[in-house]
Amino acid sequence: MIRLPHADSARLFFLEAATGARRPTRLAHTAMTVGFGLTIACSTAFAQNAAKGSADHIKAVTSAVDGASIKANTATSNDWPTYGLDYAETRFSKLNQINTDNVKNLGLMWTYNLESVRGVEATPLVVDGIMYVTASWSVVHAVDARTGKRIWSYDPGVDREKGYKGCCDVVNRGVALYKGKVFVGAYDGRLIALDAVTGKKVWEKDTITDHSHSYTVTGAPRVFNGKVVIGNGGAEFGVRGYVTAYDAETGEQAWRWFAVPGDPGKPFEDDSMAAAAKTWDPAGKWWINGGGGTPWDTITFDPDLNLIYIGTGNGAPWNRQVRSPAGGDNLYLASIVALNGDTGKYVWHYQETPGDNWDYTSTQPMILADINIDGAPRKVILHAPKNGFFFVIDRTNGKFISAKNFVDVNWATGYDVNGRPVEVAEARGDKPYDSIPGPYGAHNWHPMSFNPQTGLVYIPAQNIPVNLTGDKDWTHNSNIPGQPHSGLGWNLGFFANVEPPKSQPFGRLIAWDPVKQQQVWKQDYVSPWNGGTLTTAGNLVFQGSADGRFIAYNATSGEKLWESPTGTGIVAGPATYIIDGVQYVSVAVGWGGVFGEAARATDMEGPGTVFTFAAGGKAQPPSFTKYQMAGLLEGVKYDPANVEAGTMLYVSNCVFCHGVPGVDKGGNIRNLGYVSTETIANLKDFVFKGPFRDQGMPDFTGKLKDEDVVKIQAFIQGTADAIRPKK
């Protein structure tokens, strides 16, 4: 069971070898270098002669984007050509025109309306003033960053009624750019190549292996070695995760690697799957519920080692006791996995959370860095996944170097010398457990950054309390009232907040020393779910906040140096770049994501918007609209005897989107405790073939009955009455 009706107990809910490729001879290497140089020089000259922002200019500068140009840009950071700025995804810009001395002079240059009302998580890509950014529903916008004017937009036509097939809002984290094409992963699982000049579709591929399961794509594709690499999400719904590479020119599939094993009654795809199957208990029939492991976000690449690194997701279901009753590490859940850059073959892995039990994904952004440890240079991966520990891993072989918790944790006391967590026994018990961090993670998808000059990593950290209790009656797709979001296909194997969580929510920016494994400074915020970070050679860190501010800090000391209001909360990561000799900073604003659907930290709302700043900017910001919220619901007639049953139905169908009535205040989806009396009194008209289907509201026809809606009405009004201040 789950209790929700009172404010003191109703809180937020939750969610051949790699290095064996032949190196070219010195003569061949010289020839390739000269060829690359001539190509870039010719493209640059042509771009300089064409009018900026013209079709010829766009074609020239986007056609020049390839692996060589991305590596060359790393030396200057003049452009932002790939999701994390460079292949290592450091989000460290070498630009220093904006610095600690003059950042106070930043002003707004322009804003661009993304025409979206749901979450915006994309980092803009920019090459010579041509910007590509995505909004919710995977809509792509090409923008002239010199003026802030639209060049084109492309809507892939995702069915808005299928928004419920994703756990965490209808978001998209951005595009990839390569040789004149823009690549976007659509929410419904398609990978689409667009002409960078016109926005016209060049090719489209369906990346989903089984449409009977709720797969989605929300992450930004990456392009390595001429291949577009994309993962997927859906572990909460019971899917088997995998990552796929497609030929950038033709769209033909090059390779696919699954993150967890399939049905052991059938041949395994490769040796890595056969090895993984030994770490699962067949009694749990994990393959029926997919197993999970979805690699829905981070993908990085080391061109020198020719290794692609992916972070894998949580187990499906979350609860290992029902997923794999005899235990086991359940490879390759919650792991960093290295794949051969040409073939996609498994090379090595390191599992950060063996036998994941708490939705502790390892899909959070990772950074490749070369740092000195114990007096010796090491090629490492820096990673701060959901489980609350900061990891330093050798990226040549996957060997564990160190791990230290960067927030308070209660599921493990640390990691031993072999890189295994020392777990707290109660964390896997049958009793309700307030896991810290909760399933939202100590660090979620919001990008972190690494500044080699300060030696610090800048982490958007948080805690969102959730109490978990094992569900002994869970079976695949059981949909028993009270099972969280089971009416829409979730399979957790847990109840949420049977007992109210005791931990406290917070949001903060942490500057972390990865060598000493310690915090150097921090900034606290009023809410969790603050945006990604950008750091620069100007000794700055930029971050947007949940309470609607874009802020610059001193990267060394953490002193706040500048801020600008943005109206609504910021979750995306910023980008910086040079246009005609001037440094700009842009951030895409649009409150949302799994926490932002039901909760917020501002009283303003507005469409998704790109804000762009430079020294001396004088543009006027868009008008901020007051968040429209009716008074606490009253006047809906109901039978109190229906409240308990309505509670169970609400948890199974409504809570992750709408929050707790009257307790939460609503995010980019309205809280049903603060809508009109007429809306709840006529709830059937909204639940069955309702007017908000084109905004992502599912149609519950055939999923709920009229009498179920009556019970849900009773819960909504009953909860509002229970928390209403006494007169």
Side-chain angles (χ1 to χ4, degrees):
M1 289 186 63
I2 181 165
R3 296 182 324 201
L4 281 178
H6 299 292
D8 61 350
S9 65
R11 289 307 305 161
L12 300 173
F13 288 76
F14 63 97
L15 175 286
E16 278 142 38
T19 58
R22 288 187 178 181
R23 296 185 177 274
T25 64
R26 180 171 298 181
L27 180 60
H29 184 273
T30 301
M32 286 191 294
T33 302
V34 172
F36 284 140
L38 288 173
T39 300
I40 293 171
C42 290
S43 297
T44 301
F46 189 78
Q48 289 172 344
N49 292 330
K52 302 297 186 181
S54 67
D56 286 341
H57 170 251
I58 297 171
K59 182 176 182 179
V61 299
T62 60
S63 296
V65 176
D66 59 10
S69 71
I70 290 172
K71 290 176 69 174
N73 186 73
T74 302
T76 65
S77 303
N78 285 343
D79 290 327
W80 194 285
T82 188
Y83 180 68
L85 175 60
D86 46 41
Y87 278 145
E89 305 223 338
T90 62
R91 293 179 181 260
F92 168 69
S93 171
K94 293 182 171 65
L95 302 180
N96 61 8
Q97 188 181 107
I98 303 170
N99 52 57
T100 54
D101 293 330
N102 61 21
V103 68
K104 61 182 180 292
N105 298 326
L106 278 188
L108 187 64
M109 295 296 290
W110 52 262
T111 59
Y112 175 86
N113 188 345
L114 290 166
E115 300 174 350
S116 60
V117 296
R118 300 291 291 272
V120 175
E121 298 185 353
T123 301
L125 303 193
V126 184
V127 290
D128 197 19
I130 307 302
M131 174 183 289
Y132 299 95
V133 62
T134 56
S136 48
W137 298 109
S138 320
V139 177
V140 185
H141 295 261
V143 184
D144 187 333
R146 290 175 169 83
T147 64
K149 302 300 182 183
R150 177 176 301 185
I151 299 170
W152 53 258
S153 66
Y154 173 82
D155 186 340
V158 174
D159 184 348
R160 301 315 198 240
E161 291 188 40
K162 301 297 176 59
Y164 71 89
K165 286 180 171 286
C167 71
C168 308
D169 205 356
V170 290
V171 294
N172 185 277
R173 288 178 207 96
V175 300
L177 183 60
Y178 187 79
K179 291 188 176 180
K181 295 185 183 66
V182 176
F183 302 92
V184 62
Y187 184 77
D188 56 14
R190 290 170 291 152
L191 180 65
I192 303 169
L194 305 174
D195 185 293
V197 179
T198 65
K200 301 296 184 183
K201 184 166 64 177
V202 179
W203 55 255
E204 174 183 300
K205 295 293 177 180
D206 183 358
T207 73
I208 305 305
T209 58
D210 183 357
H211 282 279
S212 68
H213 290 74
S214 291
Y215 281 98
T216 52
V217 171
T218 58
R222 314 304 203 274
V223 184
F224 313 126
N225 295 349
K227 300 177 183 65
V228 191
V229 183
I230 190 68
N232 47 52
E236 279 69 37
F237 297 85
V239 305
R240 183 189 184 195
Y242 54 88
V243 62
T244 315
Y246 297 86
D247 184 275
E249 185 62 29
T250 66
E252 294 304 308
Q253 182 176 317
W255 52 259
R256 172 171 287 152
W257 184 80
F258 286 93
V260 298
D263 186 344
K266 301 176 181 178
F268 293 115
E269 288 83 1
D270 55 34
D271 291 344
S272 69
M273 292 297 98
K278 297 175 182 178
T279 68
W280 295 71
D281 178 10
K285 296 184 178 180
W286 76 83
W287 57 95
I288 293 178
N289 198 51
T294 46
W296 50 263
D297 193 24
T298 187
I299 308 170
T300 55
F301 179 55
D302 186 328
D304 295 328
L305 298 174
N306 196 32
L307 291 179
I308 295 172
Y309 307 99
I310 66 167
T312 63
N314 53 286
W318 290 3
N319 189 342
R320 191 184 65 172
Q321 291 186 13
V322 293
R323 183 181 73 237
S324 186
D329 287 351
N330 295 176
L331 292 173
Y332 298 95
L333 299 179
S335 299
I336 296 174
V337 181
L339 305 175
N340 181 283
D342 295 318
T343 65
K345 296 294 186 183
Y346 164 91
V347 178
W348 59 254
H349 78 276
Y350 170 71
Q351 190 170 41
E352 294 174 326
T353 310
D356 169 52
N357 196 59
W358 309 274
D359 188 22
Y360 284 165
T361 66
S362 289
T363 52
Q364 288 57 55
M366 69 180 86
I367 292 171
L368 312 186
D370 297 345
I371 60 177
N372 286 318
I373 299 176
D374 297 329
R378 301 287 297 271
K379 293 181 178 294
V380 302
I381 293 173
L382 307 176
H383 202 215
K386 273 191 182 181
N387 73 15
F389 286 87
F390 190 97
F391 292 87
V392 182
I393 308 297
D394 189 314
R395 72 174 184 269
T396 68
N397 54 25
K399 300 299 183 183
F400 171 82
I401 296 174
S402 65
K404 180 71 175 179
N405 57 298
F406 59 94
V407 298
D408 290 339
V409 303
N410 71 350
W411 69 277
T413 59
Y415 277 69
D416 64 23
V417 295
N418 296 313
R420 290 192 67 88
V422 181
E423 291 189 11
V424 174
E426 292 82 0
R428 290 188 187 270
D430 294 326
K431 296 180 180 179
Y433 195 75
D434 187 1
S435 60
I436 304 174
Y440 292 88
H443 171 222
N444 207 292
W445 63 267
H446 314 79
M448 63 185 189
S449 56
F450 170 63
N451 190 320
Q453 295 176 346
T454 64
L456 303 178
V457 178
Y458 304 97
I459 311 168
Q462 63 185 17
N463 182 53
I464 299 171
V466 175
N467 187 288
L468 297 176
T469 304
D471 179 0
K472 296 180 180 179
D473 295 324
W474 175 88
T475 57
H476 179 60
N477 288 340
S478 50
N479 189 18
I480 299 171
Q483 293 177 328
H485 236 45
S486 60
L488 294 174
W490 286 47
N491 283 273
L492 302 188
F494 279 118
F495 293 115
N497 293 0
V498 172
E499 293 184 1
K502 299 178 177 62
S503 65
Q504 297 301 307
F506 66 79
R508 67 178 61 132
L509 170 61
I510 295 176
W512 188 263
D513 186 326
V515 177
K516 296 179 180 179
Q517 286 282 28
Q518 65 184 29
Q519 177 181 292
V520 175
W521 57 260
K522 69 181 177 75
Q523 286 280 354
D524 288 312
Y525 292 117
V526 301
S527 170
W529 217 244
N530 300 285
T533 67
L534 156 70
T535 187
T536 75
N539 197 33
L540 295 171
V541 177
F542 290 92
Q543 184 186 28
S545 68
D547 60 349
R549 296 174 295 146
F550 189 46
I551 310 168
Y553 299 99
N554 183 303
T556 302
S557 68
E559 177 189 2
K560 187 173 73 173
L561 301 175
W562 170 87
E563 69 175 48
S564 181
T566 57
T568 57
I570 303 172
V571 293
T576 187
Y577 48 90
I578 288 284
I579 300 179
D580 304 330
V582 177
Q583 184 179 356
Y584 290 71
V585 183
S586 292
V587 64
V589 178
W591 181 245
V594 62
F595 178 76
E597 286 183 312
R600 59 189 168 84
T602 73
D603 291 326
M604 300 293 175
E605 64 178 343
T609 304
V610 178
F611 283 72
T612 294
F613 302 88
K618 303 290 186 184
Q620 291 298 308
S623 59
F624 305 141
T625 304
K626 184 78 172 177
Y627 189 93
Q628 298 301 306
M629 189 169 73
L632 185 61
L633 181 70
E634 59 183 340
V636 178
K637 298 184 183 305
Y638 69 97
D639 182 348
N642 283 329
V643 169
E644 183 174 353
T647 303
M648 301 298 108
L649 288 163
Y650 189 89
V651 168
S652 292
N653 296 280
C654 316
V655 71
F656 288 139
C657 295
H658 291 286
V660 182
V663 177
D664 299 321
K665 296 299 188 290
N668 63 28
I669 298 176
R670 293 291 184 257
N671 183 278
L672 299 182
Y674 295 103
V675 298
S676 69
T677 302
E678 291 76 15
T679 297
I680 302 304
N682 297 289
L683 192 59
K684 287 191 300 182
D685 296 335
F686 296 89
V687 169
F688 302 128
K689 301 187 186 304
F692 296 122
R693 287 177 292 163
D694 63 345
Q695 298 178 35
M697 173 81 178
D699 179 8
F700 286 92
T701 302
K703 298 179 180 179
L704 292 173
K705 301 175 182 178
D706 285 0
E707 54 265 36
D708 294 330
V709 178
V710 171
K711 294 171 183 176
I712 292 172
Q713 287 171 306
F715 166 70
I716 295 169
Q717 184 63 75
T719 302
D721 291 345
I723 67 170
R724 194 182 316 279
K726 305 237 185 288
K727 295 181 181 178

